[in-house]
Amino acid sequence: MADAPDLDLVLFGATGFTGALTAEYLAAHAPAGLRWALAGRNLDKLAAVRDRLGPDAGRLELIRADVTDPASLADLARRTKVVITTVGPYLTYGEPLVAACAEAGTDYVDLTGEPEFVDRMYVAHHATAQRTGARIVHACGFDSIPHDLGALHTVQELAAAGPVTVRGVVRAGGTFSGGTFHSALNQFARARQMREASVARRRVEPRPEGRSSRAVGGKPHRDPVLGFWLVPLPTIDPFVVARSGAALASYGPEFRYSHYAGTKTLRYAAGGAVGAGALALASQVRPLRHLLLSRVPQGEGPDERRREKAWFTVDLVGEGDGRTVHTRVSGGDPGYGETAKMLAESALCLAFDDNPPTSGSVTTAQAMGANLITRLRAVGMRFETVD
């Protein structure tokens, strides 16, 4: 048998902007006795991050690991219970670590919002992770925890016996990271590859027996419950929510989820739709795409003052058995502070909580569910029933 892990958690990619925030969060909120380490390809830069974490982090181990060195990733995965990775874009850099964790039976969390990457990892590594007991949990940041756990909370509040529909409406004030922008623009440019990856996943992914769960597209309209103008939002979130609905019988015999951005006026809704369309069009022109990417560098973000003013809300409206429930998930800076919090708490939840038995490529609702909601509430995120 392999030696037992000597670490509870390893953070891979701590020298990036969001990675450093995650390290700071762990240093400030980690439970007593947590055995954790920082990993990356440059030990000097890792040491600089460690020095900023305060005197209590002085003995924090630094581990050299590189996505171009599979042996280093295999060694890392064997040493720990859980790996956090902030090294993206994940489609470019992510697979070697997923493969190492799946093979070692080590739990894995990331903050990807890249559907193609998630689908390709399912096809390539889900079966191995099921065999070894690894839980591969993608999208543990603003993509897609507020939406995935928000839908779970809504379904539990509704407690319907028949078909259930949920619509999620996100609003936010803040600046998203350069890494998020790069991932989004590259996804727009890879529409064909995204479809191919989705089809490949559907060929091998089993469907729930006697039940159905799907993400459904919507049209721009004014929501009668919330009063916002809604614009369909083409992100990874609805796919994640639908997979939770397929995995968990509590979502009912027929579950449908739709996903929107919400604005107070029709003018802003129309402007958002035009802006998203223009960005998608620009992504198809290689010189223009490269110009946009060069203007928004990765690994950088806004200062603390701007982050403190940022906020997000996700309103969810669930309908079933003739009843309607309105719930809300809300918090602070979505692109940085809250993402670091969600990512770190997901890893701690996997490492220490009594979660439902599961393995393979799974969602946050499926792998952690109520335990993660409890953790996030305890550190300031709100999950509430509005009326």
Side-chain angles (χ1 to χ4, degrees), residues 4 17 30 43 85 89 104 121 124 155 204 242 329 357 370-371 379:
F17 192 83
L43 294 181
T85 175
M121 294 308 95
V155 167
V204 299
V329 182
N371 287 339
V379 292

Side-chain angles (χ1 to χ4, degrees), residues 28-365:
H29 297 89
L34 177 71
R35 304 172 302 167
W36 67 296
L38 304 179
R41 63 182 180 179
N42 188 315
L43 294 181
D44 290 336
K45 290 184 178 180
L46 287 175
V49 172
R50 182 178 60 184
D51 291 343
R52 296 198 299 269
L53 300 181
D56 291 341
R59 295 184 179 179
L60 200 62
E61 183 177 356
L62 307 179
I63 301 172
R64 189 192 175 282
D66 192 327
V67 296
T68 65
D69 181 0
S72 71
L73 298 181
D75 289 341
L76 184 156
R78 284 193 293 265
R79 290 196 55 194
T80 186
K81 295 178 181 178
V82 186
V83 173
I84 299 174
T85 175
T86 61
V87 180
Y90 290 92
L91 193 60
T92 304
Y93 302 113
E95 182 168 10
L97 185 56
V98 174
C101 289
E103 187 62 38
T106 298
D107 294 333
Y108 163 103
V109 296
D110 66 28
L111 46 77
T112 188
E114 303 166 49
E116 182 185 351
F117 170 72
V118 172
D119 289 343
R120 292 191 184 281
M121 294 308 95
Y122 182 94
V123 172
H125 304 292
H126 171 72
T128 299
Q130 278 196 315
R131 173 177 57 81
T132 64
R135 292 169 290 188
I136 307 298
V137 193
H138 301 290
C140 291
F142 188 64
D143 290 324
S144 296
I145 281 179
H147 320 283
D148 191 30
L149 296 186
L152 174 65
H153 175 64
T154 304
V155 167
Q156 291 173 336
E157 290 294 297
L158 188 60
V164 170
T165 66
V166 175
R167 59 187 178 274
V169 180
V170 60
R171 303 179 67 237
T175 305
F176 288 91
S177 70
T180 298
F181 180 77
H182 278 243
S183 292
L185 203 63
N186 287 327
Q187 286 174 80
F188 281 135
R190 294 179 60 86
R192 177 179 57 81
Q193 293 92 332
M194 286 174 58
R195 287 193 297 270
E196 291 172 351
S198 178
V199 169
R201 177 172 182 157
R202 289 199 299 271
R203 289 196 188 107
V204 299
E205 186 173 26
R207 295 185 176 91
E209 295 185 8
R211 303 174 50 246
S212 67
S213 176
R214 291 206 306 269
V216 295
K219 297 180 179 179
H221 66 281
R222 189 174 188 275
D223 191 283
V225 175
L226 304 175
F228 298 135
W229 286 94
L230 307 188
V231 178
L233 199 55
T235 65
I236 195 174
D237 306 307
F239 301 109
V240 172
V241 173
R243 286 170 191 144
S244 295
L248 301 173
S250 60
Y251 284 59
E254 184 180 297
F255 176 75
R256 302 291 181 265
Y257 178 77
S258 52
H259 192 58
Y260 301 92
T263 68
K264 290 185 177 181
T265 67
L266 178 60
R267 178 166 60 92
Y268 284 121
V274 170
L279 193 63
L281 185 62
S283 72
Q284 306 302 312
V285 183
R286 181 174 296 181
L288 186 55
R289 182 172 72 249
H290 289 170
L291 175 63
L292 290 172
L293 292 174
S294 69
R295 295 293 180 89
V296 185
Q298 296 188 79
E300 298 181 9
D303 59 29
E304 185 175 358
R305 181 183 60 82
R306 292 178 63 188
R307 296 199 307 271
E308 286 177 349
K309 294 180 179 180
W311 57 272
F312 80 87
T313 63
V314 178
D315 286 275
L316 300 108
V317 179
E319 298 174 318
D321 290 359
R323 302 192 305 275
T324 299
V325 168
H326 173 198
T327 68
R328 179 178 296 146
V329 182
S330 58
D333 168 37
Y336 299 97
E338 296 292 65
T339 281
K341 176 190 297 182
M342 289 183 268
L343 187 63
E345 291 293 342
S346 295
L348 294 170
C349 188
L350 288 175
F352 297 114
D353 293 354
D354 184 16
N355 296 304
T358 188
S359 62
S361 180
V362 289
T363 66
T364 54

